[in-house]
Amino acid sequence: MYSITRYLTEEHRRGDNLYAKLEELVQAENWQEAVVLFKEFSEDVLAHFKKEEEILFPEFERTTGITMGPTQVMRIEHAQARELIERMKEYLDKRDKRGFLSVADTLMILLQQHNLKEEQILYPMCDQYLDSLELINKMDNL
Amino acid sequence: MNQGLSLFQAPPFIIVFGFFLTAAAFGVLASIFELYFSIKGFINLPALVHLYTIGFGLFTMFGALFQMLPVVAGAVIKDPKPKALISYLLMLSGFLLMLLGFFYGKTLLVGSLILYGGILYTSLLMLWHLFRIKANIPTPMGFRYALIFLIIGTSIGLYGVFSLFGYTPSLRDFVKLHYTILLFGWVALLVASVSFRVVEMFFVTEAYPNRFAMLFPLFLLLSLFLSLFGEIFSLPLIVLYFLYSYMTVKRLLRRKRKTEASILFWYLSQGFLMISLLIYPFHEKFFFAFLFSFLVFFSSIIMGMMYRIMPFLVWFHLSNMPAVKVPLMSQVISYERIRLSFYLHALWVLSLIASYLLAQKKGFVISSTLHLVSSLFFFYNIYIGGMLYFKRKSV
């Protein structure tokens, strides 16, 4: 059966793969392709955040009554990630390889520990308490 | 469900930093002892081994577990500061007394008892939280087994100290039992369990086969038991860790993320795990070589991991504070310093191997000096990185 865990974990992995390619392009100072891939990567990550913030988290909070718990922490980390993505864009525009890789590395670790918490704890809880199929459809149509 | 309210709470920075910095300080102390022994031409092996395994290894691993339990397993220790403080004080005072006891005898028993109290308290505290969550993924499952092995291995160690003082009958092969359980059941299992999550995520690799990772602790339990019967029976244990190491290296070689700063530490670590496994069937004859290769295995991975965890924690905790100038990870500990630290560490490893093969006393003095430089540099990096958090926080 298709689950929220699987659906959103696949999105995490897609983001990881895009990130790895992006980092390699910047490392090689292939700026032209890096700009294109950065757009794809940031849009992908931000769309994922949107699905969670607009559909998954509100539904979780409504069903469980927990509003100041894990979803709140996840929102804070999303905000931190957004800020880092903006800084990456600034460095990319300036063609500053060192600055870009430094911010990107921080973003990567932030996202990894963030994803871990979601994949190990939050998503399985969502699968347990929410209607997975309906939510996946909603997220797909966002 | 309401426990979710406190879910995901990272422990205060001071807890992890305190354990890590103490571990790095013990690393420096160990290399000072190493230098002293190489100059004097004798070695107090129990003191040196425990400086590495407890001073450097255990302090790091407990610090890391305080951090990882909520993140990796969702096991949140509520109000962690006083609990971590009890753990830290018992372990520090107990270990220092035990260390003194290795030289002067008198404080060995009382030190071992206090240290054992600290280990038991911390392990049970963590196990209590780990058994309250569903461990349907490999990492928390591995943590459970590793902590249980830690309790068993240290209990055997304590029994040995009692025997030494004549309170209990002497057990044949208790030393072998003690180090086999602790090295393979605690240290290596914890490293493997962490790898099952971290390698895939930090280096962007394919995942380890889930069944292998899930069953790893159970296989380990069986193969550890078998290995107690002698050389040939240690084969399953060796094969199991070889498989783990092979899978790890294969993943690292095929990783999609090429620029990870800690990758060299991982390669060195896995290489020496394999070497230690090759030596293991003959380890009683080549005891020093076995211990050394196992030390390189776990010290390298600890250094690599600490260089990633520390800068992230500084950034993470500061970025949650309003109006604080937050440094990036590379500004906490620069990639250049991480690389330099690796080269110093590797230079020590190579020079010690050369001294060992050539049986040169002068070589041992040189390699120990190199190790002291490497340990001091590692301590400096962790200290400076951690202090940045307190400086920025107070501005």
Side-chain angles (χ1 to χ4, degrees), chain B residues 250-306:
Chain B
K250 191 177 130 192
R251 275 158 182 76
L252 292 176
L253 286 170
R254 291 180 183 174
R255 74 193 187 279
K256 290 185 181 146
R257 215 181 153 213
K258 304 288 181 198
T259 54
E260 236 292 333
S262 64
I263 185 72
L264 293 173
F265 284 104
W266 278 80
Y267 281 135
L268 187 69
S269 169
Q270 292 301 322
F272 273 84
L273 171 61
M274 289 193 189
I275 294 171
S276 71
L277 292 171
L278 288 173
I279 302 171
Y280 185 64
F282 323 100
H283 77 278
E284 283 172 32
K285 201 172 168 192
F286 302 101
F287 196 55
F288 177 79
F290 168 69
L291 282 180
F292 171 70
S293 31
F294 201 91
L295 165 69
V296 178
F297 152 59
F298 78 81
S299 63
S300 305
I301 210 145
I302 280 177
M303 289 171 80
M305 293 283 286
M306 233 195 258

Side-chain angles (χ1 to χ4, degrees), chain A residues 4 24-25 33 44 46-47 83 86 94 136 138-139:
Chain A
I4 291 170
E24 217 176 330
L25 288 173
E33 283 186 43
D44 201 73
L46 297 177
E83 198 192 316
E86 272 172 34
K94 285 192 268 182
I136 290 169
K138 275 188 189 171
M139 286 193 276

Side-chain angles (χ1 to χ4, degrees), chain B residues 186-208:
Chain B
W186 160 244
V187 178
L189 175 58
L190 196 70
V191 170
S193 306
V194 172
S195 315
F196 292 148
R197 283 312 305 173
V198 165
V199 168
E200 179 194 356
M201 303 193 96
F202 285 1
F203 297 99
V204 188
T205 69
E206 59 173 320
Y208 288 81

